[in-house]
Amino acid sequence: DAGITQSPRHKVTETGTPVTLRCHQTENHRYMYWYRQDPGHGLRLIHYSYGVKDTDKGEVSDGYSVSRSKTEDFLLTLESATSSQTSVYFCAISVRPGGEETQYFGPGTRLLVL
Amino acid sequence: AQSVTQLGSHVSVSEGALVLLRCNYSSSVPPYLFWYVQYPNQGLQLLLKYTSAATLVKGINGFEAEFKKSETSFHLTKPSAHMSDAAEYFCAVSRSSGSARQLTFGSGTQLTVLP
């Protein structure tokens, strides 16, 4: 257990509304990531953070923004949700036992955009 | 660019039979490779990882994987399948991006274990 929680776990929203998903970690890890999971695509990186206020884009960042004002929280925002953003969203943290980086994942948030 | 190909989106085996899930990767540098397992409605759990030490890597739940550079493969095996192994399995390759490392995932293999 990497001490990662995600909220909400399930959300239904309507097209055009803003949505914010929260990832919380309890162990002060520097690196945090947001992925989306869709059938046939595995997981794809949306954004990641390498410290407070330090973020960068991933493979599928269009339509998403992130913020990290505290080490423990990494927020993912859909400014105006679209049906194509219906997905399962996973947060991950990175740890480096012995210098070998490994990512551990939260339980996921299932988002349905109607 | 790095990529991962998992051959076979669905694999079925009988309980007690050998499990073989295939993963091939492309990477311009020596890779870090991972296998994750996902049970229904859960997050991903790390099974094992290769980080340039031993080429045969042992993981949890009796799984192991062998890194073969000449074949650019990292196939996952288990000698005897158990009903509890039914899940989706993802292979991933890691690459550096600035100070972070990014994971590129394969599209996953759904393992069904038949009684």
Side-chain angles (χ1 to χ4, degrees):
Chain A
D1 182 1
I4 306 169
T5 58
Q6 293 185 232
S7 59
R9 293 293 313 280
H10 302 271
K11 186 170 182 65
V12 180
T13 191
E14 295 187 349
T15 298
T17 60
V19 176
T20 295
L21 309 182
R22 179 180 183 240
C23 177
H24 179 78
Q25 57 140 330
T26 59
E27 300 179 2
N28 291 320
H29 296 296
R30 179 181 175 190
Y31 296 95
M32 299 183 74
Y33 304 79
W34 276 107
Y35 291 86
R36 60 178 289 173
Q37 182 181 27
D38 304 290
H41 290 278
L43 277 75
R44 292 177 291 175
L45 182 65
I46 305 172
H47 282 280
Y48 65 95
S49 170
Y50 47 96
V52 172
K53 300 190 187 304
D54 292 324
T55 63
D56 205 348
K57 297 179 179 180
E59 177 187 358
V60 291
S61 60
D62 288 348
Y64 301 95
S65 63
V66 290
S67 65
R68 193 167 178 201
S69 59
K70 298 184 292 184
T71 299
E72 59 265 36
D73 289 326
F74 191 30
L75 304 181
L76 177 70
T77 298
L78 291 64
E79 301 289 349
S80 178
T82 68
S83 58
S84 65
Q85 293 176 311
T86 291
S87 188
V88 182
Y89 292 86
F90 288 98
C91 175
I93 56 91
S94 175
V95 299
R96 299 191 176 194
E100 300 171 347
E101 180 167 331
T102 302
Q103 291 186 23
Y104 293 90
F105 289 80
T109 293
R110 192 172 295 272
L111 177 66
L112 174 61
V113 183
L114 300 175
Chain B
Q2 300 191 336
S3 66
V4 174
T5 302
Q6 292 184 238
L7 299 175
S9 58
H10 291 84
V11 171
S12 293
V13 299
S14 297
E15 190 174 19
L18 171 71
V19 176
L20 171 60
L21 305 182
R22 300 178 186 273
C23 172
N24 289 88
Y25 70 92
S26 67
S27 174
S28 57
V29 297
Y32 287 4
L33 293 159
F34 303 81
W35 276 100
Y36 287 87
V37 60
Q38 184 180 34
Y39 299 101
N41 299 314
Q42 295 187 25
L44 276 71
Q45 180 181 359
L46 180 68
L47 267 180
L48 49 81
K49 62 181 180 182
Y50 167 77
T51 55
S52 75
T55 57
L56 182 62
V57 181
K58 294 187 183 299
I60 62 171
N61 301 339
F63 284 92
E64 63 182 35
E66 186 173 9
F67 172 70
K68 292 187 177 180
K69 183 178 179 180
S70 62
E71 299 178 6
T72 61
S73 69
F74 190 56
H75 301 332
L76 183 70
T77 60
K78 182 175 180 177
S80 177
H82 192 274
M83 297 297 289
S84 61
D85 295 327
E88 189 159 22
Y89 293 79
F90 293 93
C91 182
V93 63
S94 174
R95 67 176 178 89
S96 291
S97 176
S99 64
R101 294 195 72 88
Q102 296 189 29
L103 287 178
T104 299
F105 283 85
S107 56
T109 297
Q110 182 69 46
L111 176 66
T112 300
V113 181
L114 305 171

